[in-house]
Amino acid sequence: MGLLSLVLLAVIVVAIVMLVKKNDPGARTGYQLIKDGHWTGNDLDPDNDSAKFKYSTQIDKTNGVSNYKLGSQSKLIQVDKKTGRTKITVGQPDTTTIPTVFIKSKDTFNHGLFVMSVDHIPTGKGVWPAWWLNGRFPPESNDTWALNGEIDIIESVNSQTKNHVTLHTNTRKGGQQCRQDTVHNIVNPNCDKGEFTGCGEDRKQSCPYQGCGVTFEGGANYSAGGVYACELTKDGKVTVWYFSKGSQGLPEGLDEASKGGGDIDVSKWKALATNTVEFQKCPGSFQNMEMIVNTAFCGDWAGTTFDVKNPKNSKEECNKFVLDTNNSKNLENAYWDINWIRVY
């Protein structure tokens, strides 16, 4: 084979590799925005017909005092038409519940890169905000929860200064258990871990309420806002980054002006990130993922940790506090201020 032929062959090989990376949402480099993947303003408001999200009116499955049905009727999402920023608030409590919002994406995803630019995350006593991916698995019930996995990207409770990044899984029969034994600062390596049984395909597996996770200090509320990103690859590897807008700046392509255009190379992000959580691969554990933004109150986590000195009555005390109209100032900071969400 002549020199010219070898050069041409090398060019063809490089071109093929670049094309594969460009069109593979599960690749580590070459991420590109999906069609209409820059979500802002009305895209996040289910009251708008073209929104990327819809309301969920389900009961509060965390056994708290959140009223998502009433929240969907209460116009709690406000859009700034000039900037596209979206503010998601909560309503005033009645005697038993608080109107609040639970929105989930109309589309589902098996892999990709998911990014949120946010300037404020709900905080306060008894408050439980989360931005997460949940594997849709019909029928939607607690019995099948986590068979397609759950990834918590933003989650905290009770005015905590910490963010909890957690994986929840339920191993299918004959499947590979999702374990994170080598992950730095992992709280629990078994992502199936839970205190109760009754979930899974035969309803005899544990319900993985604890899961496996890593906690880091700080977040958007403690700087000039922040950007959270989650990568889910085709082979089930999850990585989460947090970038503080008040520190080293943002990686190329994640600024406000770019609107997500161009290639995104996440291989260089660890050096730029304020915090990085990199999990081990869990093939087959995360499928059909819907994106969810919600604010809950009290319940099985925010409620049980509301009063650590009195755990027996903690949940009841949490309910009393957040439902008491004399404590309405506690709800003033229970809002999301989202600049945009992007899907690559």
Side-chain angles (χ1 to χ4, degrees):
M1 184 179 288
L3 179 60
L4 181 60
S5 298
L6 288 172
V7 170
L8 287 173
L9 180 60
V11 170
I12 292 171
V13 169
V14 170
I16 291 172
V17 169
M18 293 295 292
L19 184 63
V20 168
K21 287 186 175 181
K22 186 174 181 179
N23 291 283
D24 179 7
R28 295 285 296 175
T29 61
Y31 278 107
Q32 289 199 325
L33 205 66
I34 66 170
K35 183 179 180 182
D36 299 323
H38 177 76
W39 301 347
T40 185
N42 287 333
D43 295 325
L44 309 182
D45 183 3
D47 288 325
N48 181 52
D49 291 340
S50 62
K52 303 299 183 182
F53 286 84
K54 58 185 177 181
Y55 286 114
S56 172
T57 58
Q58 65 181 35
I59 62 170
D60 185 350
K61 295 181 180 179
T62 65
N63 302 306
V65 292
S66 309
N67 191 328
Y68 297 122
K69 183 175 183 180
L70 188 57
S72 70
Q73 303 165 353
S74 302
K75 302 292 182 182
L76 298 177
I77 300 179
Q78 293 102 40
V79 174
D80 186 319
K81 296 189 182 300
K82 289 185 178 180
T83 64
R85 292 165 67 130
T86 305
K87 188 174 183 179
I88 304 176
T89 61
V90 299
Q92 288 300 308
D94 56 27
T95 56
T96 57
T97 61
I98 298 178
T100 185
V101 168
F102 188 117
I103 58 173
K104 55 185 180 181
S105 62
K106 295 177 180 177
D107 293 333
T108 60
F109 310 92
N110 290 319
H111 47 76
L113 179 65
F114 312 93
V115 188
M116 176 190 283
S117 172
V118 59
D119 285 351
H120 190 272
I121 297 167
T123 185
K125 290 184 176 181
V127 181
W128 182 355
W131 178 46
W132 46 301
L133 303 175
N134 183 54
R136 198 176 289 171
F137 190 95
E140 293 185 1
S141 71
N142 284 333
D143 297 326
T144 54
W145 170 62
L147 271 177
N148 275 344
E150 176 181 319
I151 304 170
D152 300 323
I153 308 165
I154 298 175
E155 190 172 28
S156 63
V157 292
N158 289 320
S159 305
Q160 283 187 0
T161 61
K162 299 178 180 179
N163 184 59
H164 302 266
V165 179
T166 310
L167 308 182
H168 302 267
T169 59
N170 234 184
T171 306
R172 298 171 185 270
K173 293 178 180 178
Q176 178 181 335
Q177 188 182 62
C178 183
R179 293 193 61 89
Q180 304 296 326
D181 298 277
T182 64
V183 174
H184 182 61
N185 288 332
I186 194 74
V187 174
N188 168 66
N190 178 10
C191 302
D192 286 9
K193 185 172 177 58
E195 297 179 4
F196 308 99
T197 57
C199 291
E201 292 173 291
D202 55 8
R203 300 190 182 185
K204 294 180 180 179
Q205 292 175 272
S206 65
C207 297
Y209 297 118
Q210 183 174 341
C212 57
V214 175
T215 299
F216 60 78
E217 291 283 350
N221 291 354
Y222 307 96
S223 62
V227 173
Y228 295 79
C230 173
E231 179 190 38
L232 172 61
T233 64
K234 286 183 176 181
D235 54 6
K237 181 178 174 60
V238 176
T239 305
V240 172
W241 299 266
Y242 168 65
F243 303 93
S244 169
K245 293 183 182 179
S247 58
Q248 303 180 57
L250 301 175
E252 185 177 355
L254 292 190
D255 57 284
E256 306 300 324
S258 71
K259 293 189 176 180
D263 287 353
I264 299 293
D265 181 359
V266 302
S267 65
K268 302 175 183 177
W269 279 11
K270 190 171 184 178
L272 298 173
T274 310
N275 299 97
T276 301
V277 181
E278 189 170 0
F279 292 101
Q280 296 170 245
K281 297 177 183 178
C282 288
S285 291
F286 305 104
Q287 304 174 53
N288 210 25
M289 309 297 281
E290 58 188 0
M291 184 187 298
I292 297 172
V293 180
N294 76 292
T295 306
F297 289 91
C298 298
D300 295 331
W301 188 11
T304 57
T305 57
F306 178 80
D307 185 355
V308 293
K309 295 181 180 179
N310 184 21
K312 184 177 180 180
N313 299 314
S314 181
K315 189 182 287 190
E316 182 181 349
E317 291 301 314
C318 183
N319 293 347
K320 287 180 180 179
F321 180 85
V322 299
L323 295 175
D324 188 342
T325 54
N326 292 321
N327 298 322
S328 58
K329 285 186 69 67
N330 181 63
L331 301 180
E332 291 180 359
N333 286 312
Y335 68 90
W336 294 87
D337 187 359
I338 300 172
N339 296 299
W340 46 258
I341 294 174
R342 294 174 186 164
V343 180
Y344 298 85

